[in-house]
């Protein structure tokens, strides 16, 4: 059978299904383009330049004046994911090459007598035996202290209590490391937010107990951060799967040298 499209003149009354379909498709695309151009012209991008907003210009300008801190509240796997997604990506707009949230150990001044290492469980470098807890590092501008504190106290460590209650002991205690500790300007910013969120802060002395509902605030210049083994970085939590892209940050950052071998067993 010969298609009628081949024998009838191309008039508005005789267009075949194929021609009508093409006309509808082009009309739809043209309409979508017009809608996009109108919407784009009406957008207000002023909020992107405000201090503390996503990608704000003041945030970018202050990236060279970072304060190195750390946070702990239970297992460090879910704490790392929270800080990467809720702070580094949502607030600071960082990409993989500029991430600073790495799992580690802190909360004591002790290290292994034989090597100076602080490692996962095993031998004389066991972080728990040395008085440390599981933490995650984070560098951010001082002006964002209250915003970061609010994220931590409202999402990761609500009421100063870890959400993985199956983990118990001082190795999983809640703590924050700030330059200068609780009495510093940054410490007072955290204290202000903690009071509003119903969180109890106390100055840490090192090797502190697991006081449920209490967040110990350490002087990060005294109680230093020790990066955890590479296999502990960007790890899924016990009950949460974060996806291959997130897990893949481990090899990406190790290859770039941002994550370094610790000298610990199995690393």
């Amino acid at each position: 059978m010969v298609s009628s499209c081949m024998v009838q003149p191309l008039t508005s009354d005789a267009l075949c299904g194929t021609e009508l379909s093409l006309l509808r498709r082009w009309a739809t695309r043209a309409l979508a383009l017009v809608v996009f151009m109108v919407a784009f012209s009406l957008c207000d991008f002023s909020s992107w330049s405000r201090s503390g907003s996503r990608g704000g210009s003041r945030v970018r300008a202050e990236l060279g004046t970072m304060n190195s801190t750390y946070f702990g509240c239970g297992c460090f796997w879910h704490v790392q994911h929270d800080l990467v997604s809720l702070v580094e990506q949502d607030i600071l707009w960082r990409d993989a090459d500029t991430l600073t949230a790495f799992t580690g150990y802190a909360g004591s001044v002790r290290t292994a007598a034989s090597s100076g290492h602080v490692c996962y469980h095993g031998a004389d470098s066991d972080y728990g035996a040395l008085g440390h807890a599981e933490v995650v590092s984070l560098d951010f501008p001082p002006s964002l202290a209250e915003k970061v504190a609010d994220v931590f106290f409202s999402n990761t460590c609500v009421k100063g209590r870890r959400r993985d209650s199956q983990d118990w002991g001082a190795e999983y205690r809640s703590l924050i490391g700030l330059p200068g500790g609780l009495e510093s300007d940054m410490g007072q910013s955290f204290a202000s937010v903690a009071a509003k969120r119903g969180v109890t802060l106390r100055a840490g002395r090192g090797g502190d107990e697991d006081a449920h509902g209490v967040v110990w605030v350490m002087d990060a210049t005294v109680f230093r951060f020790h990066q955890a083994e590479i296999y502990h970085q960007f790890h899924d939590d016990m009950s949460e799967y974060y996806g291959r892209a997130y897990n893949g940050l481990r090899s990406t950052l190790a290859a770039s040298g941002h994550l370094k071998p610790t000298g610990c067993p199995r690393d």
Side-chain angles (χ1 to χ4, degrees):
M1 180 181 294
V2 178
S3 170
S4 60
C5 290
M6 301 294 290
V7 296
Q8 293 187 14
L10 191 60
T11 67
S12 60
D13 294 326
L15 284 173
C16 295
T18 301
E19 282 80 0
L20 288 172
S21 176
L22 286 172
L23 285 174
R24 292 192 187 100
R25 187 179 305 169
W26 282 108
T28 300
R29 290 178 178 177
L31 179 60
L33 178 60
V34 171
V35 172
F36 172 79
M37 292 177 67
V38 172
F40 186 86
S41 67
L42 295 175
C43 284
D44 177 14
F45 294 100
S46 60
S47 63
W48 287 60
S49 64
R50 294 182 191 136
S51 174
S53 64
R54 293 186 58 165
S57 60
R58 283 190 60 188
V59 173
R60 294 194 188 98
E62 292 177 350
L63 289 182
T65 57
M66 292 296 165
N67 275 333
S68 297
T69 66
Y70 54 79
F71 299 81
C73 193
C75 177
F76 49 18
W77 291 338
H78 71 79
V79 176
Q80 182 180 35
H81 183 263
D82 281 358
L83 294 183
V84 168
S85 60
L86 300 178
V87 177
E88 301 227 81
Q89 292 181 336
D90 285 356
I91 297 176
L92 294 170
W93 254 32
R94 289 175 175 160
D95 56 23
D97 292 333
T98 53
L99 294 179
T100 63
F102 303 140
T103 57
Y105 315 107
S108 173
V109 295
R110 298 171 59 196
T111 60
S114 60
S115 63
H117 293 156
V118 177
C119 305
Y120 199 60
H121 300 302
D124 66 342
S125 58
D126 186 309
Y127 77 97
L130 293 170
H132 294 275
E134 296 188 5
V135 299
V136 177
S137 61
L138 181 67
D139 292 356
F140 60 90
S143 63
L144 293 182
E146 291 193 7
K147 182 177 282 289
V148 173
D150 193 63
V151 169
F152 185 66
F153 294 137
S154 63
N155 293 277
T156 307
C157 205
V158 179
K159 302 295 184 183
R161 302 174 187 272
R162 56 183 175 271
R163 60 177 180 248
D164 43 343
S165 57
Q166 75 278 4
D167 292 326
W168 59 276
E171 300 159 31
Y172 302 102
R173 64 187 182 272
S174 301
L175 76 166
I176 298 170
L178 306 172
L182 188 57
E183 299 304 317
S184 66
D185 290 343
M186 186 176 285
Q188 291 305 297
S189 295
F190 270 74
S192 175
V193 177
K196 296 174 184 177
R197 291 289 183 179
V199 178
T200 300
L201 302 186
R202 293 180 185 170
R205 299 178 180 275
D208 303 289
E209 63 178 334
D210 180 21
H212 206 47
V214 172
V215 178
W216 300 102
V217 182
M218 320 300 296
D219 183 343
T221 64
V222 176
F223 302 97
R224 296 188 304 107
F225 171 83
H226 302 266
Q227 181 205 297
E229 297 83 348
I230 292 178
Y231 66 84
H232 274 309
Q233 308 294 333
F234 305 100
H235 199 292
D236 293 327
D237 197 28
M238 295 294 291
S239 59
E240 295 179 275
Y241 173 62
Y242 300 135
R244 292 183 178 179
Y246 177 79
N247 301 149
L249 291 170
R250 178 191 307 124
S251 57
T252 298
L253 288 164
S256 67
H258 288 83
L259 284 172
K260 303 182 183 302
T262 61
C264 292
R266 297 188 294 146
D267 193 25

